[in-house]
């Protein structure tokens, strides 16, 4: 078998028909018609002989693992018994030390709990075909009578996401149709929480080129994928995407994850329902009989198949490509594209891919985006939280080191987001950011670490109309000003103001844009110069900071993206309100340092911004934290300093836990159940319950400190504090129990609940008296009754 590569991937056709009539299907709708002559289902004899051949091949070549995909047609039409038989035969035939990676690719229409129980028993991973939202999916994936298959597939995916089956979920396969909105398709797929997404170019040849909408450019498939790539990168790559990951890998000289890219030799063979051995299914798009080898599992070994000229051609690497491909600068990443896509009548496969232009643009654009990232905003090594940090944070605390580690990881994320938002063109703002990063990187870090930098980038990348690329110029100008780097830059004027994040805003009336210059003397616009780090005249409104012992924080009332919380941000504070805030923060900080020093240390290290909110409903204290604004909390100034201390501690818990969840999974994100939260009548998703529980650790600790401070007082404040403590510690303990019993926590999540239970113990030990305990139990019972009534109405 010299010169050939042993097979390690096998596609086993267990059924040759399908219950859908997808008009883009390469099996039934393209050139090859052999499906009509195949047995409907693989017989026991075919399954037994196939398993034997695979086992024989694994022993001969000492393979550490083989990968088998049960396929069709629609493989679920074979039924549970035949699928079980196939799995058992394959596993029994392999030699000791050879692992079986067994998967099934299905359209999902028939996927049921019965099938999933079988797959859990036999360890069969499940890949499902879905082309996006209903509009996208229904362009092609319909029943023979024209009915939509979309709802049935979504129901199947919901089953697959249940905790007992989640480990079987292999991912989603999406065939590209450039008539569909790429970002809408991507969002619809991500909404199904797949562990991987595989975008597939529709099979086409030079004889039958890929379809493109009227008026599309020369590279519609690259443009479609690149729109998703920008969105995907901007979100921090929340899910592996096989084609993008393959481009990234091959550009670094590593192996591809897909046959359609790279120069890795093909090591796949297909076994049809009648036992015939064929080349890759994609060849069915070339011409009738293209995949055939003339071999079958009864009469031929897999080594014989590997010597077939077609198989050897697909294993010949660079030498097997057309001359045009061999001369291409991205050939080692592209690999000539999928073999089937090179076909043209009269010339066979000695051609570039029919997607040549698309692949060239996709690869070079991704390459340039990768190259731009370190040049402009170099990614820093993420420093994962240490075991000590995790234990501190699990107890609801987190000292300066742990919180600083969270901040470093958040800065890295903001860098990636800004890079994704700004690397599209060679703009003056992007060049200035690059220059500042080279000469004054600390100044750039200060702007990128600003909470509302990330809020802007996420809005922009998500298509939110509240953000635009003018924000990049604002970031660049602010960073250059901080770094004393001279510049001249066109900035947007928003409602009469030029905005410089972290610094302030400059009044410029009567236009949509204005040129701002950074000089040795400060910032200049229209002949007017201000110093950003000193109070100015009425045209310059700096971000004002409150300096407290061991803690300085900004009162952010100028940034246009500060409205990132569920409550409305307040307008610019007048002098009287600024004075009131300064006094309230000083009083709150004294209380926190005296009574909750373990929480105060983390606050000082990680909370740098308080955004004043507009007053809430009468008599109600309001506050908020935003997941996309690390380091900030929003608060409407309460009547007293102690209440402000409580709100600060409570909201910073949300900030910390959100940052932890950006780094680690504490729960199964596919768990869509709703849970009772003792402090509110409406049910909460698991993450909402986890966030609330974590935040209320600080609430319970606060009220425990107030009870201790008011020890001996019988009425008024003392009785109110005891009731609050009894209520919040009971709520928090109940919620920890619910989290523990959910069955949806990861090992680290269970570690966090254990830490929270430990953290709550001191508050549980503070005596509050029988009256407070009775009142707390009555309030909890009333809340539970309201929740049950609401659940009954649903």
């Amino acid at each position: 078998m010299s010169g050939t590569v042993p097979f390690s991937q096998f596609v086993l056709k267990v059924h040759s028909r399908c219950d859908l009539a997808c008009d883009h299907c390469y099996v039934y709708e393209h050139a090859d018609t052999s499906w009509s002559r195949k047995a409907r289902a693989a017989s026991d004899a075919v399954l037994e002989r196939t398993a034997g051949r695979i086992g024989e091949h694994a022993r001969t070549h000492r393979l550490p693992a083989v990968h088998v995909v049960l396929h069709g047609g629609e493989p679920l039409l074979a039924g549970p018994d035949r699928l079980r038989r196939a799995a058992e035969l394959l596993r029994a035939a392999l030699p000791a030390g050879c692992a079986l990676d067994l998967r099934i690719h299905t359209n999902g229409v028939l996927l049921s709990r019965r099938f999933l129980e079988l797959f859990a028993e036999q360890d069969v991973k499940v890949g499902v075909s879905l082309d996006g939202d209903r509009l996208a999916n229904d362009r092609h994936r319909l029943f023979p009578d024209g009915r939509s298959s979309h709802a049935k597939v979504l129901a199947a995916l919901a089953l697959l996401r249940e905790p007992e089956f989640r480990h079987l979920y292999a991912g989603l396969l999406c065939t590209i149709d450039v008539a569909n909105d790429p970002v809408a398709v991507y969002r619809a797929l991500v909404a199904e929480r797949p562990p991987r997404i595989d975008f597939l170019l529709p099979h086409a040849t030079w004889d039958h080129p890929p379809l493109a909408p009227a008026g599309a450019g020369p590279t519609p498939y690259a443009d479609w994928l690149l729109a998703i790539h920008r969105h995907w990168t901007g979100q921090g790559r929340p899910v592996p995407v096989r084609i993008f990951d393959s481009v990234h890998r091959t550009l670094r000289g590593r192996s591809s994850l897909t046959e359609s890219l790279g120069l890795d030799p093909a090591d796949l063979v297909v076994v049809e329902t009648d036992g015939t051995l064929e080349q890759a299914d994609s060849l069915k798009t070339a011409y009738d009989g293209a995949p055939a080898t003339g071999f079958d599992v009864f009469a031929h070994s897999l080594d014989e198949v590997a010597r077939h000229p077609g198989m050897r051609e697909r294993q010949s690497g660079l030498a097997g490509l057309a001359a045009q491909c061999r001369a291409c600068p991205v050939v080692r990443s592209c690999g000539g594209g999928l073999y089937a896509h090179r076909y043209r009548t009269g010339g066979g496969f000695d051609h570039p891919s029919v997607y040549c232009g698309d692949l060239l643009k996709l690869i070079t654009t991704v390459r340039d985006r990768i190259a731009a990232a370190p040049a402009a905003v170099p990614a820093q090594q993420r420093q994962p939280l240490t075991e000590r940090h995790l234990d501190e944070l699990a107890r609801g605390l987190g000292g300066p080191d742990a919180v600083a580690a969270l901040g470093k990881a958040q800065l890295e994320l903001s860098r990636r987001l800004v890079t994704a938002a700004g690397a599209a063109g060679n703009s003056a703002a992007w060049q200035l950011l690059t220059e500042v990063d080279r000469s004054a990187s600390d100044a750039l870090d200060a702007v990128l670490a600003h909470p509302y930098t990330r809020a802007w980038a996420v809005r922009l990348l998500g298509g939110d109309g509240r953000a635009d690329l003018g924000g990049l110029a604002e970031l660049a100008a602010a960073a250059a000003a901080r770094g004393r780097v001279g510049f001249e830059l066109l900035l947007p004027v928003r409602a009469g103001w030029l905005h410089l994040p972290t610094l302030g805003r400059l009044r410029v009336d009567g236009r949509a844009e204005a040129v701002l210059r950074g000089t040795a003397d400060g910032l200049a616009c229209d002949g007017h110069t201000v110093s950003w780090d000193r109070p100015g005249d009425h045209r310059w409104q700096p971000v004002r900071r409150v300096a407290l012992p061991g803690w300085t924080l900004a009162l952010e009332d100028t940034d246009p993206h500060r409205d990132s919380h569920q409550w409305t941000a307040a307008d610019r504070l007048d002098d009287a309100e600024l004075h009131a805030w300064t006094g309230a923060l000083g009083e709150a900080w004294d209380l926190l340092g005296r009574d909750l020093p373990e929480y105060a240390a983390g606050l000082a290290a990680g909370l740098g911004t308080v955004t004043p909110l507009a007053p809430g409903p009468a008599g109600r204290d309001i506050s908020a934290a935003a997941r996309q604004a690390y380091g900030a909390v929003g608060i409407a100034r309460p009547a007293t300093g102690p209440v402000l201390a409580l709100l600060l501690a409570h909201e910073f818990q949300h900030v910390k836990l959100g940052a932890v969840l950006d780094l680690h999974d504490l729960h199964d994100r596919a768990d869509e159940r709703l849970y009772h939260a003792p402090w509110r009548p409406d049910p909460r998703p698991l993450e909402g319950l986890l966030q609330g529980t974590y935040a209320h650790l600080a609430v319970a600790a606060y009220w425990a400190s107030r009870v201790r401070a008011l020890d001996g007082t019988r009425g008024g404040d003392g009785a109110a504090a005891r009731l609050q403590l009894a209520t919040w510690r009971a709520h928090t303990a109940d919620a920890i129990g619910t989290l523990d019993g959910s069955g949806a926590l990861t090992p680290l999540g269970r570690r966090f609940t254990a830490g929270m239970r430990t953290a709550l113990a001191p508050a549980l030990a503070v005596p509050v008296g029988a009256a407070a305990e009775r009142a707390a139990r009555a309030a909890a019972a009333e809340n539970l009754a309201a929740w049950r009534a609401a659940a009954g109405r649903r």
Side-chain angles (χ1 to χ4, degrees), residues 388-686:
R388 178 176 60 81
H389 292 157
L390 286 169
D391 284 336
E392 285 181 11
L393 291 161
R395 294 194 301 274
L397 304 174
D401 288 346
V403 174
L406 288 178
K408 188 173 184 178
Q410 290 288 304
L411 174 60
E412 179 192 341
L413 178 56
S414 291
R415 279 179 166 267
R416 293 204 309 268
L417 289 167
V418 171
T419 296
N426 191 22
S427 69
W430 190 243
Q431 291 178 15
L432 181 57
L433 274 174
T434 303
E435 182 181 351
V436 175
D437 199 27
R438 284 196 298 264
S439 61
S441 60
D442 287 348
L444 180 60
D445 280 350
V447 175
L448 295 181
H450 177 50
Y452 301 113
T453 294
R454 176 172 169 183
W456 162 78
V458 169
R459 284 173 173 173
L460 179 74
L461 294 166
D464 188 325
R466 292 175 292 174
D468 55 49
L469 275 172
L472 192 70
E474 292 166 339
L475 294 174
R482 281 180 165 275
R484 308 294 179 180
V485 176
F487 69 91
E488 183 172 299
L489 199 59
L490 186 67
L491 268 65
V493 177
R494 306 183 193 279
W497 296 96
L498 288 180
H499 291 273
L500 286 90
T502 73
L503 301 182
R505 62 186 185 182
L506 180 65
R507 189 77 193 179
V508 179
D509 290 314
R511 72 190 81 173
E513 296 177 313
V515 173
L516 182 70
R517 289 188 301 113
T519 69
D521 297 325
L523 301 171
C525 182
D526 296 342
H528 188 84
T529 301
V530 298
S531 296
W532 62 264
D533 54 352
R534 292 196 298 274
D537 59 23
H538 67 284
R539 292 184 61 183
W540 173 245
Q541 293 187 346
V543 174
R544 293 166 297 193
R545 289 171 170 77
V546 177
L548 303 169
W551 187 29
T552 299
L553 71 161
L555 278 173
E556 180 56 82
D557 56 6
T558 66
D559 194 289
H561 293 286
R562 71 188 187 279
D563 223 349
S564 296
H565 310 280
Q566 69 261 43
W567 303 101
T568 303
D571 293 331
R572 176 75 170 179
L573 304 180
D574 60 27
D575 289 343
E577 185 63 10
L578 175 64
H579 181 74
W581 264 105
T582 301
L585 284 167
E587 185 181 356
W589 185 235
D590 286 344
L591 185 151
L592 288 166
R594 182 185 69 245
D595 295 342
L596 292 173
E598 64 276 24
Y599 286 92
L603 274 166
L607 183 61
T609 299
V610 171
T611 297
L613 301 178
R620 180 175 178 184
D621 293 315
I622 63 170
S623 60
R627 181 69 174 271
Q628 306 297 352
Y630 176 82
V633 299
I635 297 176
R637 184 177 60 83
T640 68
V643 174
L644 180 57
L646 171 60
L647 297 178
L648 288 166
H650 171 267
E651 295 301 342
F652 191 60
Q653 292 293 95
H654 288 301
V655 171
K656 288 186 295 185
L657 188 59
V660 171
L661 290 169
D662 281 338
L663 295 171
H664 298 283
D665 281 335
L666 301 186
H667 62 93
D668 178 6
R669 296 183 184 274
D671 183 4
E672 296 183 342
R673 292 173 293 175
L674 298 176
Y675 297 84
H676 175 231
W679 48 86
R680 55 192 297 167
D682 58 320
R684 304 292 292 150
L686 190 65

Side-chain angles (χ1 to χ4, degrees), residues 1-6 61 303 306-308 311-312 315:
M1 197 180 161
S2 174
T4 62
V5 175
H61 299 282
D303 282 0
R307 291 192 290 270
H308 184 276
M311 293 292 190
R312 294 174 72 96
Q315 295 182 345

Side-chain angles (χ1 to χ4, degrees), residues 262-264 315-323 325-328 331-332 335-336:
L263 289 170
D264 304 303
Q315 295 182 345
S316 55
L318 188 64
L321 300 183
C325 292
R326 294 196 299 272
C328 178
V331 64
R332 296 192 177 278

Side-chain angles (χ1 to χ4, degrees), residues 360-386:
L360 178 63
K361 182 172 183 179
L362 174 68
I363 292 165
T364 55
T365 304
V366 170
R367 178 198 64 197
D368 292 347
R369 288 177 181 177
I370 294 171
V377 189
Q380 297 183 3
Q381 179 86 21
R382 174 179 290 179
Q383 296 297 323
L385 297 169
T386 66

Side-chain angles (χ1 to χ4, degrees), residues 98-177:
C98 181
L100 174 63
D101 175 20
L102 185 57
R103 296 170 182 254
I104 189 166
H105 285 177
T106 171
N107 61 34
V109 169
L110 295 177
L111 192 61
S112 64
R113 187 172 296 277
R114 182 184 179 194
F115 275 118
L116 289 174
E117 288 170 349
L118 165 66
F119 298 154
E121 171 195 324
Q122 296 294 329
D123 193 21
V124 182
K125 303 297 189 295
V126 184
V128 179
S129 295
L130 180 68
D131 289 349
D133 55 18
R134 178 165 181 164
L135 177 64
N137 204 65
D138 286 358
R139 286 188 188 275
H140 304 286
R141 306 188 63 79
L142 301 171
F143 285 100
D145 61 4
R147 288 179 296 120
S148 170
S149 64
H150 189 252
K152 287 186 176 292
V153 180
L154 294 195
L157 292 173
L159 266 180
L160 196 51
R161 290 194 303 271
E162 290 187 2
E164 62 182 306
F165 303 130
R166 173 73 186 182
H167 66 289
L168 304 176
Y169 196 177
L172 295 176
L173 296 87
C174 172
T175 300
I176 297 168
D177 185 332

Side-chain angles (χ1 to χ4, degrees), residues 130-133 135-137 139 174-191 197 199 213 219-232 235 241 244 362 369 461-462:
L130 180 68
D131 289 349
D133 55 18
L135 177 64
N137 204 65
R139 286 188 188 275
C174 172
T175 300
I176 297 168
D177 185 332
V178 293
N180 293 323
D181 181 311
V183 175
V185 167
Y186 168 78
R187 287 173 174 165
L189 298 179
V190 170
I197 297 173
F199 290 109
T219 55
Y221 289 86
D223 297 339
W224 197 93
L225 284 165
L226 287 168
I228 294 177
H229 182 266
R230 179 168 297 287
H231 196 77
W232 174 73
Q235 290 184 323
V241 175
F244 300 152
L362 174 68
R369 288 177 181 177
L461 294 166

